[in-house]
Amino acid sequence: MTAAGEESAGPGEARRAYGVDRAAGAVAPGDPAPLLALAADSGRAVVFLDLTGVRDKAGFMDRCTSALGLPAWFGRNWDALADSLTDLSWLPAAQGRVLVLGGWTEYAREQPREWTVAREVLAEASEYWRDRATPLTVLLTPA
C-alpha cells in the first residue's frame, strides 16, 4: 500500500512521493550504509539526516541544523528550512547533492501533519534544484 500522492513501484525500485524518493529493494530496513555508499559513489555530496528518536518539530529542526551544518541563527521553522535548502552554497555541490533521511518513521507516526509539511519542504527543494547543474536528491531509507 502506498501513501496518498505516491506512485507504486516494483521490487528494487524507488517510489516517488511528493518529489522525495523512498529507496527500496537492496537496502535493508534501518541500514542506510549501502544507500550512503551508492550515493557517494555517484560523485555527489552526501548528507545523512538521522531522525531516529525525533518525535516533534523542534527535534526535527535540531537534527537538520546538526546534519546540514546550518548556522546558529537558523530560524528552526519550515520557511527557514525551505530557504536553506534552496541556497545550498554552504554544501559542496560536486555533481549534485543527496540528502538521505533515516529513522524517519517514528516522527512520521507521531507527527503526521508535521511529517507532511517536512516532505513538502524537501520535495520543493528537490524540485527547485532538479533542472540545475547540481541537483538535490532526497531519499528516505526503508522503514
Side-chain angles (χ1 to χ4, degrees):
M1 176 186 337
T2 62
E6 287 185 344
E7 297 173 14
S8 63
E13 298 176 17
R15 288 191 302 245
R16 190 102 182 124
Y18 307 110
V20 177
D21 293 325
R22 184 179 299 172
V27 181
D31 181 13
L35 186 58
L36 294 170
L38 182 63
D41 287 347
S42 73
R44 296 178 179 203
V46 180
V47 174
F48 179 58
L49 178 56
D50 184 4
L51 298 177
T52 303
V54 171
R55 304 185 97 185
D56 59 19
K57 180 180 171 184
F60 183 90
M61 293 297 167
D62 287 345
R63 294 287 175 91
C64 286
T65 300
S66 299
L68 297 169
L70 298 174
W73 48 262
F74 168 65
R76 287 180 169 73
N77 61 60
W78 299 120
D79 289 337
L81 182 60
D83 290 346
S84 295
L85 291 174
T86 56
D87 174 15
L88 294 175
S89 57
W90 44 269
L91 181 63
Q95 294 178 5
R97 301 163 178 104
V98 178
L99 177 58
V100 179
L101 279 73
W104 54 271
T105 54
E106 181 179 0
Y107 179 63
R109 184 177 53 254
E110 294 287 327
Q111 303 294 335
R113 289 185 187 142
E114 288 179 10
W115 177 242
T116 297
V117 174
R119 286 181 57 175
E120 289 170 356
V121 167
L122 294 168
E124 288 170 8
S126 180
E127 291 296 322
Y128 174 84
W129 289 101
R130 174 159 300 183
D131 295 326
R132 290 172 170 73
T134 56
L136 170 66
T137 301
V138 179
L139 299 171
L140 305 178
T141 59

